Amino acid sequence: MIYLNGKFMPIEEAFIPVLDRGFIFGDGVYEVIPVYSRKPFRLAEHLIRLQHSLDGIRLKNPCSNDEWRNILEQIIANNDGEDQYLYLHITRGVAKRDHAFPANVSPTVFIMSNPLPQPPEELLKTGASAITANDNRWIRCDVKAISLLPNVLLRQLAVDRHALETILIRNQFLTEGAASNIFIVKDKVLLAPPKSNLMLPGITYDVVLELAAANQIPHEIREISETETRMADEILLTSSTKEIMPITLLDNHPVGDGKPGELFRQLHALYQEYKATHMRGQVTSRLTN
């Protein structure tokens, strides 16, 4: 069961006009929200990020936070699985093809749910491989825009080389992954690139830094050079669907000793504890209208 413009329906019955600006221009934004035990994870933070993206493309939010919560709860209830991930997609709507914003057009709102797979146990034990590439995307990567062709092409580079992810370098500094955030570890210190217009402000990125601060794990938020990335003791990938994943091979060279490291194991365990607390309903939501 999906949601499209005020109606719940089977996905097979959902259609949009070919003049939708999302189809014509990629004029829209999206959000991905994991659901554990039928409870949206960090919903407040996801809706804050959604608002930031909408502001970034000058599109009015079509719903209040309470309205979003009500719609999302119905989507969760009407789809199978205790663990799901919600895909929320908003475009500027349907109008005659013209680059300028159309007047008096209602946005298109589409939401669907998919099963949320657990990160593969084998990769958590052995680690995953990644490659590097030049970050040639636009300079508003903080906007979660649906026009993802640069990310698609960069991620395909990894697929072509049987790797999990492409780690992006811009002007000799680490930005993020094609579909993830990236941390490194050096001398037992967790290093994170600072939030900027050149990276998406990840929700899992925030959780990892909160867990590090709460558990006295040394960490710094600063620019990370390409050289530091290649010389890291550990590399960690984070995203809403992959959670925390160790990268143990970069451009066919071992990261550290080529095995998941101590800090990965600690943060992964802390993240699972945090999730369990959320599923028990003990994490206070900061959701406000």
Side-chain angles (χ1 to χ4, degrees):
M1 189 69 68
I2 63 98
Y3 174 93
L4 180 63
N5 295 335
K7 297 179 180 179
F8 295 90
M9 65 186 75
I11 195 167
E12 295 79 11
E13 297 177 9
F15 297 94
I16 60 167
V18 294
L19 287 179
D20 189 285
R21 287 177 64 93
F23 178 69
I24 296 293
F25 292 117
D27 184 0
V29 300
Y30 75 104
E31 190 63 43
V32 175
I33 306 169
V35 174
Y36 299 107
S37 296
R38 295 193 174 272
K39 296 175 184 177
F41 185 69
R42 304 270 288 201
L43 181 56
E45 290 78 2
H46 281 282
L47 291 181
I48 289 169
R49 186 170 68 177
L50 174 65
Q51 185 63 60
H52 175 80
S53 295
L54 289 167
D55 291 343
I57 68 166
R58 296 169 58 186
L59 181 58
K60 183 180 178 181
N61 196 326
C63 296
S64 69
N65 286 341
D66 282 342
E67 289 169 332
W68 282 126
R69 177 159 40 188
N70 179 58
I71 295 168
L72 295 173
E73 286 176 351
Q74 291 185 69
I75 286 287
I76 294 167
N78 284 288
N79 283 281
D80 295 333
E82 293 297 297
D83 295 349
Q84 307 173 25
Y85 75 88
L86 308 178
Y87 176 82
L88 193 163
H89 180 111
I90 306 170
T91 79
R92 205 175 301 275
V94 180
K96 181 180 177 181
R97 189 185 186 281
D98 185 356
H99 284 68
F101 295 168
N104 303 315
V105 170
S106 297
T108 297
V109 179
F110 166 63
I111 308 172
M112 67 177 175
S113 169
N114 285 298
L116 179 62
Q118 290 297 307
E121 192 66 30
E122 185 64 24
L123 287 183
L124 295 176
K125 291 179 180 178
T126 64
S129 65
I131 65 169
T132 58
N134 180 52
D135 189 349
N136 57 7
R137 304 169 300 166
W138 72 327
I139 60 170
R140 286 303 311 274
C141 299
D142 57 309
V143 173
K144 205 166 174 67
I146 63 173
S147 46
L148 284 172
L149 184 57
N151 298 71
V152 168
L153 294 172
L154 288 163
R155 180 66 178 279
Q156 187 61 37
L157 292 177
V159 173
D160 292 343
R161 291 173 58 180
H162 307 288
L164 179 70
E165 179 62 300
T166 303
I167 294 177
L168 306 180
I169 305 294
R170 190 189 294 255
N171 298 326
Q172 298 183 326
F173 285 94
L174 169 67
T175 52
E176 57 183 344
S180 62
N181 289 120
I182 302 294
F183 295 78
I184 75 165
V185 178
K186 189 65 179 176
D187 298 327
K188 298 184 178 181
V189 178
L190 180 71
L191 302 177
K195 290 182 181 180
S196 73
N197 61 297
L198 299 179
M199 65 173 276
L200 183 71
I203 304 302
T204 311
Y205 168 102
D206 288 341
V207 174
V208 167
L209 289 174
E210 290 170 19
L211 291 172
N215 291 276
Q216 293 77 52
I217 296 173
H219 60 282
E220 297 177 18
I221 302 172
R222 64 167 176 80
E223 289 192 330
I224 301 169
S225 71
E226 178 179 0
T227 300
E228 287 179 298
T229 304
R230 296 189 182 281
M231 298 297 292
D233 299 325
E234 299 182 48
I235 298 178
L236 309 181
L237 175 156
T238 66
S239 75
S240 288
T241 54
K242 291 185 174 60
E243 299 181 353
I244 306 174
M245 185 77 67
I247 299 297
T248 53
L249 196 67
L250 182 65
D251 289 334
N252 291 321
H253 295 286
V255 176
D257 63 4
K259 300 176 182 178
E262 177 184 346
L263 206 47
F264 159 71
R265 290 190 293 270
Q266 183 179 2
L267 286 167
H268 182 263
L270 289 169
Y271 191 85
Q272 300 311 308
E273 291 175 11
Y274 183 87
K275 275 173 49 183
T277 301
H278 162 81
M279 289 186 280
R280 291 194 298 268
Q282 297 173 11
V283 175
T284 302
S285 174
R286 298 198 292 271
L287 184 59
T288 57
N289 265 328

